[in-house]
Amino acid sequence: MTDVIDAILNRASEPRLIAPAPDRALLDRVLACAARAPDHALLRPWRYLVIEGEGLDALGELFASAADDADQPLGADRDKLRRMPLRAPMMIVGICSPRPHPKVPEIEQMVSAGVGLGYLLLALESAGYGAMWRTGDVAYHPRIRDGLGLDPEERIAGFLYVGTVESRKPAVPRPEVADFVSRWPR
Ligand SMILES: Cc1cc2nc3c(=O)[nH]c(=O)nc-3n(C[C@H](O)[C@H](O)[C@H](O)COP(=O)(O)O)c2cc1C
């Protein structure tokens, strides 16, 4: 097995995260991994926001402000929303920024953004940090998208919660390869 295969087979998302978060040098390196995502026509249809410290408090306020939004109330408790970003010392928001292109439909650009977030997650885990990819209603709320400075066509691909693993979660059952792979034609 190669190191990469071992790293993938041993990886797991970790929800219980504490300080410290990665430093600037490591962050630059793992974000460079995100930019290795396959990318049809090299459109670079993604960008990332790094949020730490007071930024996490501000993000909590932004989440809470959508709780009783007149058009699209989030249907969640304000305080719970406010505390959400405080589950880790760092959040990285993966954003898909689709570009109009005659041969590259939006779905391909979204997939590229997803692969980039996946590479970022793996790189963080390989460097010894914990991370967890989350979305939920907060990822799709227009007020939150606006508050984070997204353009109207941009979409949040995920919130990556990042930090040091406080305690590992129980192992997740993994499917057998034969359960999700078949040969064609049979
Ligand atoms: C696009 C996307 C969104 C997700 N959103 C959530 C979420 O909001 N809450 C959650 O508990 N898990 C969410 N997950 C799943 C976790 O990140 C994680 O993959 C899952 O708990 C399985 O754990 P594992 O990564 O160790 O296999 C999401 C995964 C993806 C790919």
Side-chain angles (χ1 to χ4, degrees), residues 11-13 132-136 157 169 172 174:
R11 71 153 297 276
S13 303
M132 177 132 178
W133 184 338
R134 296 179 191 267
T135 48
K169 73 167 186 207
V172 171
R174 307 293 174 184

Side-chain angles (χ1 to χ4, degrees), residues 31 33-48 94-99 104-120 133 155 157-158:
L31 286 165
C33 293
R36 294 301 177 103
D39 174 13
H40 194 174
L42 305 184
L43 298 178
R44 312 303 187 218
W46 17 256
R47 64 189 183 91
Y48 295 85
I95 297 167
C96 179
S97 310
R99 327 273 182 212
V104 188
E106 197 170 314
I107 176 94
E108 294 191 12
Q109 302 186 44
M110 202 68 207
V111 169
S112 179
V115 170
L117 260 180
Y119 285 177
L120 177 58
W133 184 338
R155 295 288 174 269

Side-chain angles (χ1 to χ4, degrees), residues 13-32:
S13 303
E14 293 298 349
R16 285 180 286 275
L17 301 168
I18 54 174
D23 65 17
R24 181 63 196 268
L26 179 67
L27 201 55
D28 281 354
R29 206 161 156 73
V30 294
L31 286 165

Side-chain angles (χ1 to χ4, degrees), residues 13 20 29 41 51 58 62 88 90-91 103 109 113 128 131 133-134 137-138 146 156 158-159 161 176 181:
S13 303
R29 206 161 156 73
I51 307 178
L62 181 61
M90 174 184 283
M91 265 174 79
K103 291 195 173 141
Q109 302 186 44
W133 184 338
R134 296 179 191 267
D137 292 345
V138 290
D146 286 354
I156 292 173
F159 295 105
Y161 287 73
E176 294 295 327
V181 179

